[in-house]
Amino acid sequence: MARCEVCGNDYDKAFEVALAGEHHIFESFECAIQELAPPWRHCGCGVIGRATEANGAVYCCAHCAREAARTREVRDSDGAPA
């Protein structure tokens, strides 16, 4: 069994996530998202879908990025204009 680094639960179905050379153990996707998802610049929630970037910050969508960053230079996480 392995202990989740977020909730501390010792769970027989825990899983490991490798990200940027670091390894993490979680008991649920909820815990993994809480720990690893980048926060939205506008509201602070974790980005669990395709992110949008503006002025070097991450947002939930192009609308929020344009509104919060006050720019038209918005790109999807894959680099394509949004």
Side-chain angles (χ1 to χ4, degrees), residues 30-51:
E30 180 181 3
C31 287
I33 289 167
Q34 180 178 331
E35 182 69 17
L36 301 177
W40 290 356
R41 178 71 160 225
H42 196 62
C43 67
C45 293
V47 176
I48 60 172
R50 192 164 137 181

Side-chain angles (χ1 to χ4, degrees), residues 24-66:
H24 305 271
I25 302 294
F26 302 108
E27 67 118 29
S28 67
F29 287 113
E30 180 181 3
C31 287
I33 289 167
Q34 180 178 331
E35 182 69 17
L36 301 177
W40 290 356
R41 178 71 160 225
H42 196 62
C43 67
C45 293
V47 176
I48 60 172
R50 192 164 137 181
T52 301
E53 297 179 28
N55 295 339
V58 177
Y59 297 90
C60 58
C61 64
H63 170 78
C64 287
R66 287 185 188 102

